[in-house]
Amino acid sequence: MEWLPHITVATIVEDNGRFLMVEEHKGGRNVLNQPAGHLDPDETLIDAAIRETLEETGWDVEPTGVIGIYLYTAPSNGVTYQRICFSAKTVQHHPDYQLDDGIVGAKWLTRDELIAQRDNWRSELIIRCIDDYLAGHHFSLELIRPSL
């Protein structure tokens, strides 16, 4: 059996202690996640983060750094994901933007509010990325090298 990891991006967007989160319908229930998704063919990682954030929240963002690179194997399906997590700042909100299918909406939540909703997390990567962000793990976007 061929092993194919999934390349994904996620974005940490913080405003006065609140984080831009996505409520999405997955596996028959609503769950919380950062704006996140899969890398598309012929797309840069940074462009994927910008696109996914817009598609899932209606916010244009400008990536400001890399928080970390994570490997996660989902216990629900055994799929391994490599997540590149970016920090970003908001640029413009499009309140009438048609969000992706399955997206209930965007929410701004504090870390404490997220902890109180732990049963609704899509994965443990949510808090790991936020805690790394809060701990000051901010690497230059130059860490992401262009394709050859």
Side-chain angles (χ1 to χ4, degrees):
M1 182 172 188
E2 187 175 1
W3 180 68
L4 296 172
H6 294 245
I7 307 299
T8 63
V9 295
T11 308
I12 300 288
V13 182
E14 187 257 343
D15 182 36
N16 293 315
R18 297 178 94 71
F19 296 92
L20 181 60
M21 302 299 294
V22 174
E23 183 178 8
E24 59 187 334
H25 195 73
K26 198 75 173 173
R29 64 189 192 102
N30 289 354
V31 295
L32 294 169
N33 197 8
Q34 275 98 17
H38 288 82
L39 178 68
D40 284 347
D42 300 318
E43 184 177 47
T44 69
L45 292 165
I46 293 170
D47 287 344
I50 293 167
R51 175 186 54 76
E52 286 290 350
T53 304
L54 176 63
E55 290 176 352
E56 294 188 350
T57 69
W59 278 94
D60 285 324
V61 295
E62 178 184 329
T64 57
V66 177
I67 302 302
I69 300 170
Y70 307 83
L71 271 182
Y72 175 75
T73 300
S76 62
N77 60 13
V79 173
T80 299
Y81 299 89
Q82 181 180 39
R83 174 188 269 205
I84 298 86
C85 186
F86 293 90
S87 58
K89 63 181 180 180
T90 58
V91 175
Q92 182 178 359
H93 186 227
H94 305 277
D96 297 325
Y97 190 88
Q98 180 63 45
L99 303 179
D100 276 353
D101 287 342
I103 302 297
V104 176
K107 295 183 167 194
W108 290 92
L109 300 171
T110 65
R111 185 185 185 283
D112 288 343
E113 290 169 332
L114 280 167
I115 293 293
Q117 298 183 52
R118 181 179 220 118
D119 290 342
N120 298 329
W121 293 353
R122 178 138 183 208
S123 81
E124 294 289 324
L125 283 175
I126 290 171
I127 207 67
R128 175 74 188 274
C129 292
I130 287 174
D131 285 348
D132 285 351
Y133 170 86
L134 291 171
H137 298 274
H138 302 262
F139 302 94
S140 169
L141 288 174
E142 291 179 4
L143 181 68
I144 307 298
R145 308 303 295 163
S147 298
L148 297 178

